Amino acid sequence: MSQLSYVSHTGGTAWDTYISQVDRVIPYLGHLARWSETLKRPKRALIVDVPIELDNGEVAHFEGYRVQHNLSRGPGKGGVRYHPDVTLEEVMALSAWMTVKCAAVNLPYGGAKGGIRVDPKKLSLKELERMTRRYTSEIGIIIGPQRDIPAPDVNTNGQIMAWMMDTYSMNTGTTATGVVTGKPLHLGGSLGRVKATGRGVFVTGREAARRLGLSLEGVRIAVQGMGNVGGAAAELFVQAGAKLVAVQDHTGTLVNPNGFDIADTMTVLHRDGGIGNYTGAERIDNEAFWDVDCDILIPAALESQITAARANRIKAKLVLEGANGPTLPDADDVLHDRGVLVVPDVICNAGGVTVSYFEWVQDFSSFFWSEDEINLRLDKIMVDALKKIWDTADRHKISLRTATFAVACERILTAREERGLYP
Ligand code: GLU
């Protein structure tokens, strides 16, 4: 029933991970299980050709996607990723996780995601702008403030959102601030959005640590990926008394059992775009990152990082999934059996889309909130959502991941059932 003809069935892809997560929740869906096939089929997937003229006069073609996984609870919502490994299947999985994530924190959105298979580091700024504008025009037939609202993801940022907003606005003859979120402040962006995902990771981590009886004072954290998510989360943990003992990014892996100097780390990061030249720590082999002695591990890079073999070596008591889909299903079982608590992506990193929602609401009302108000509201939404998930996990004696899926899928499938089948 769930075999999609355009999906490879070799196993191990992000989509396979997602499908196995859905299969695990079906026994807890009661009568709604009747609708569960909905979760295994994206509503709509668009593949677009993105041709651009390079600065040297040649023409290059890139393949782009926008997938709307489910729109039962509201317009599509989810980021746009620029990465050489982007595939349709990956974007499908990421869009499905957005559906679950938005429902887990009860935002009135469905799930969507976009991407272009490209290495943006090889493009000039002008080429990046041309590619973004052409991609936006191509997906313009399915996005819109009430239809599907893109946002930043891996290798995209406020500048790219500004070009997307402008392109959509030019094509529709409007000033459509609500068509994307994660915009610069002058264009209807929201205070607190840039660091919101990392803040959400911190808030869920703080709550989970409290339940484990783990004080944040002196707690040792290891972070994979020091981008928007990992960097902001690391800063907040260190402010709360934690010690950053290991960092891995595309420039290498560094450790210091006495703790990194966070201010120096951030300076190097902003200057070089990577931590490789930070001198206050020792460089180790990349694979040794998974053996590092730490209390909290924060994978905040890409999918499929925690394999079963790595899960067996992890020393942390708590894993906070800042990235989308970092843990493979068999690794999830290993961590569970070893008593390592995993706060899953679909709640852990939901802070970003939550503040995206605040941004969208502010754009519609043209009334903007203070940063304190944003951060307070974000904290409350994350704490309340996590509490409901934790209660569900305790009641059914299931993992936090399956509990998050249970809470979210009940909302998604209830909406599905109430709307009924058309025609
Ligand atoms: N790309 C982020 C995520 O994976 C944010 C999406 C959004 O704000 O719409 O959650």
Side-chain angles (χ1 to χ4, degrees):
M1 279 281 279
S2 63
Q3 302 276 311
L4 299 174
S5 59
Y6 44 91
V7 161
S8 67
H9 287 282
T10 48
T13 67
W15 181 252
D16 294 316
T17 298
Y18 166 74
I19 292 294
S20 123
Q21 292 166 351
V22 172
D23 283 335
R24 287 174 184 211
V25 79
I26 291 176
Y28 305 98
L29 294 179
H31 77 282
L32 292 170
R34 172 169 180 253
W35 295 97
S36 61
E37 184 71 14
T38 299
L39 302 166
K40 297 185 176 181
R41 291 170 179 269
K43 175 182 174 64
R44 187 177 285 140
L46 182 64
I47 305 178
V48 295
D49 175 36
V50 185
I52 62 158
E53 189 171 322
L54 299 176
D55 295 344
N56 66 8
E58 283 173 22
V59 177
H61 290 257
F62 302 98
E63 192 163 304
Y65 312 94
R66 185 73 188 171
V67 178
Q68 295 172 344
H69 172 261
N70 189 288
L71 305 180
S72 292
R73 304 182 72 250
K77 188 81 194 83
V80 173
R81 171 174 298 204
Y82 291 171
H83 196 277
D85 297 334
V86 165
T87 62
L88 174 63
E89 244 184 283
E90 184 197 32
V91 178
M92 280 163 50
L94 292 165
S95 71
W97 282 321
M98 287 310 302
T99 303
V100 176
K101 193 185 301 185
C102 291
V105 281
N106 216 358
L107 306 179
Y109 287 137
K113 199 87 176 195
I116 305 181
R117 190 178 315 128
V118 61
D119 183 353
K121 294 185 181 74
K122 295 199 176 129
L123 298 183
S124 70
L125 198 63
K126 279 287 161 206
E127 290 167 340
L128 193 64
E129 176 173 353
R130 285 198 286 275
M131 182 184 75
T132 299
R133 288 186 181 279
R134 181 60 186 253
Y135 168 72
T136 308
S137 286
E138 294 297 336
I139 65 166
I141 54 173
I142 62 168
I143 64 169
Q146 305 284 6
R147 305 176 83 190
D148 180 358
I149 307 115
D153 195 74
V154 174
N155 292 331
T156 55
N157 55 24
Q159 174 61 77
I160 287 170
M161 294 308 114
W163 292 327
M164 291 187 76
M165 174 267 179
D166 182 68
T167 304
Y168 182 86
S169 297
M170 291 298 115
N171 288 346
T172 55
T174 57
T175 303
T177 53
V179 68
V180 289
T181 58
K183 299 178 296 293
L185 287 179
H186 299 295
L187 296 176
S190 176
L191 291 165
R193 175 61 188 87
V194 174
K195 294 195 172 174
T197 314
R199 181 172 289 276
V201 171
F202 170 73
V203 171
T204 53
R206 181 192 70 203
E207 296 302 302
R210 193 172 49 77
R211 286 178 184 251
L212 291 180
L214 205 63
S215 161
L216 292 189
E217 196 55 54
V219 82
R220 296 163 307 164
I221 63 167
V223 182
Q224 186 196 37
M226 282 291 271
N228 214 14
V229 182
E235 267 188 305
L236 287 166
F237 271 107
V238 171
Q239 272 167 29
K243 246 184 347 187
L244 177 63
V245 295
V247 171
Q248 175 171 87
D249 74 2
H250 64 284
T251 58
T253 305
L254 297 179
V255 290
N256 182 346
N258 298 318
F260 285 52
D261 182 303
I262 195 74
D264 288 354
T265 308
M266 297 318 276
T267 305
V268 172
L269 209 57
H270 289 139
R271 190 192 61 207
D272 303 347
I275 45 106
N277 293 325
Y278 174 69
T279 49
E282 188 195 335
R283 188 177 274 272
I284 59 167
D285 181 61
N286 279 338
E287 192 51 37
F289 175 76
W290 305 100
D291 302 307
V292 164
D293 222 351
C294 64
D295 304 301
I296 301 179
L297 174 69
I298 308 178
L302 295 170
E303 300 94 78
S304 310
Q305 295 299 299
I306 307 186
T307 59
R310 287 174 176 171
N312 266 308
R313 291 158 44 200
I314 287 171
K315 304 268 194 317
K317 304 167 193 70
L318 180 58
V319 174
L320 304 176
E321 293 188 337
N324 291 309
T327 309
L328 293 173
D330 52 350
D332 239 351
D333 294 338
V334 171
L335 293 172
H336 186 260
D337 293 347
R338 293 187 56 224
V340 180
L341 183 67
V342 178
V343 181
D345 48 6
V346 277
I347 179 65
C348 191
N349 71 33
V353 72
T354 301
V355 177
S356 274
Y357 167 62
F358 296 164
E359 179 175 334
W360 185 73
V361 168
Q362 292 171 86
D363 288 339
F364 275 108
S365 58
S366 299
F367 179 77
F368 291 85
W369 313 346
S370 72
E371 189 157 3
D372 281 351
E373 198 171 349
I374 304 267
N375 290 344
L376 272 171
R377 284 182 192 247
L378 171 62
D379 206 297
K380 180 164 169 33
I381 287 182
M382 299 296 288
V383 169
D384 290 351
L386 190 63
K387 181 173 184 316
K388 186 172 167 66
I389 289 162
W390 219 296
D391 290 346
T392 305
D394 287 345
R395 191 165 64 246
H396 295 298
K397 303 208 173 355
I398 51 179
S399 69
L400 286 181
R401 188 183 317 278
T402 302
T404 310
F405 268 70
V407 168
C409 295
E410 187 184 333
R411 289 177 179 149
I412 300 158
L413 298 181
T414 299
R416 183 83 201 77
E417 184 172 67
E418 286 173 350
R419 287 177 68 155
L421 279 178
Y422 174 88

